[in-house]
Amino acid sequence: MKEFPSFSIKNFLFRSSLSFHTIFFIIVFVFLPFCQKESSVSENGLEFSGEGNGIKNAKETSSKPNVIWIVIDSLRGDIIGRYNVTPNLDLFAKEGVQFDYHLVNAAWTRPSTLVFFTGKYASANPVNFWDYPTTKSETEAFYRSEKKPLPKLLKSSHYTTYMVGNNPFLTDRFGLGVDVGFDFLYDFSNYGEDTKKITNKTMEVIEEVVSKNNPFFLFLNYNDPHKPYTPPPGFTSRIITKEVLDERKLNYLGEVAFVDEELGKVFDAIKTKGLWENSLILITADHGEVMHASHAISPFTGTNTFYGHGQDLFLENIHVPLLIKLPNSSFKKAVSSMTRSIDLYPTVLDYIGIPIPKNIHGLSLRPIIEGKETTKRTYYGETRFTQGYGEGNEFLLQRSYRFHELGKFWQGSVGNEFYLYFDTNSDPNQISPIRINQIQSIAELKLNGNLEKKIQRFWKQIRSMEPKLPLYHIWVHPSPLEKDTEIQITVPSGTLRMANLPSSVLIEEKGRYVKLRTQDQTPIQISFEVYPDVSFPEFKVWFGKNQVPKSEIHVGYFGVNLSACSKDCDLLYESQSFRPIIHPQTKVHFWKEGGLKKTYENKQELGTDALDILKKQGYVQ
């Protein structure tokens, strides 16, 4: 446990005038999170919506379905069944459940994979989806908050878990990702011509699991057809289409044909080894690929993203295939309604009989598969510079700074956050949006009244689904000897957004700087956000011409003297959701609500191995 910096006990007791009950509450407030009994959660460390303690006998364990989850990186949702490049996937689709309108909730590999394994939106875990490095503080926070991502959860239910593939974000070895808990991780991200190597290792794993009695989870992740597109000779000649294809799309489709052929080998091995019937098999992609010229330069990031991804939430970036073969079933169905990648985690648990955690965002696909779904699912997604919400065929995409991180790509300035509304029924390629520069001024566009209300509702949905920013509060008791009170607040990066301002206070705003003035003699409370949450605010208070010294400013729930701490004081500012007890003699009290300790700048440099991997896979030039 991190120790609190020392401060004056005499001063603390003088200020607080604590009763016995107050002291008792403080003790509970500080130590309760560390002293909760382990029996308050399940054996797996998660709060479950179902019954059971997760302990299975040998007979139950051996009868559980295996799980084979196959990811084909960058595979667009409009490829399977076209171009004559997916004969094995075409056959798989006809023999199982095919989802025609499946959307991923993040648009590049690392956040999308974490969505797979947590069932939560990317912003719900502490690993950034802005830049490639994962800082030490992010990985540590992930391990604290995500006790049981899917591989660990299955392991605790007696599954042997394997990852075979090319995904450098599933290990913390290179500073690119996090360890999600596989028993055996065979990552080929630092190898050239990795596709056949992945298939060969998969064959070895299949031989291994056949010799064991335990159920297994195999996550098979092919990097092809991720760029650079370099199919082996002969595969592009398989393409049949009347579409005029440029060289990049030809090679992309050639890689799709290559992976499909390798998957045919895997399918044959699974069948001949007797694993097919008792396996739940999912085939999907972590994101799509931008191929429409109108999206070549992302309107959200200004980045050239042609034959790339991760810079927007257009359908060609988020619409991917989803094919499922149910265990011990020959059930076939085509599903046209919207499904999301957050739904895959609970679907796996549902079909193998493990209770679904309550604290996830996704919903099992079982009601849709069984024809029992009564409501339509909605979409919320996040990627660099972009947030989006959708219902059916309608989407509102926002240029957003909400999840930015300081570094070489962003220096801390916040610009206009415009919105693009699309109806893909009338605009399937999303090339003719309605642009809204400010939601507050949407009436100036003179849209149809129902459409205007819909866009405003979509905007509110984005706001309600994103994690809340921390709120900062300054409580001031003006001096009865001075007529004027002035408060100056600054942040080095981002911008200040006022959340609560008394009517008696005049404000002067300049982005990173806010000046507040009042002549009110009664106590006032100012509340604000730092947007995005990348820097810690500094403030000064004057009563007349006299600046309030640090020794008379108190912070956090306990009202610690601000001058008592000079380094690593973050925890002292916290008040969680409780309002501090403010002593009548206090002049200024400052506290932070709803935010954990955050690293405010990413200075981490990637190592040579990590850069080599990213270059080899086309992530960086």
Side-chain angles (χ1 to χ4, degrees), residues 44-46 69 113-120 125 142-157 161 170 178-182 217 345 349 354 357 359-360:
N44 294 331
L46 290 168
W69 187 329
T113 306
L114 291 180
V115 170
F116 290 161
F117 290 158
T118 64
K120 301 175 185 176
N125 75 66
F142 179 84
Y143 298 142
R144 288 195 302 269
S145 62
E146 290 296 336
K147 299 297 184 184
K148 295 292 180 181
L150 185 61
K152 285 188 178 180
L153 180 55
L154 294 182
K155 180 179 179 179
S156 66
S157 294
T161 61
L170 288 178
V178 291
D179 181 350
V180 294
F182 285 101
F217 170 47
Y345 176 97
L349 299 185
I354 296 178
N359 62 340
I360 64 170

Side-chain angles (χ1 to χ4, degrees), residues 1 39 51 56 86 109 154 165 223 234 239 246 278 293 320 346 358 434 436 489 506 534 549 567 592 597 605:
M1 184 188 303
S39 59
E51 300 293 331
K56 304 292 180 182
T86 56
T109 301
L154 294 182
N223 189 57
I239 300 168
D246 66 22
N278 192 36
V320 301
K358 291 181 179 180
I434 295 173
I436 305 102
I489 310 170
L506 301 177
V534 294
K567 186 178 180 182
K592 180 183 179 184
K597 181 176 181 180
E605 294 293 333

Side-chain angles (χ1 to χ4, degrees), residues 281-302:
I281 306 177
L282 298 87
I283 303 175
T284 190
D286 49 354
H287 53 76
E289 198 83 331
V290 172
M291 295 183 181
H292 200 285
S294 66
H295 303 152
I297 303 298
S298 167
F300 303 99
T301 66

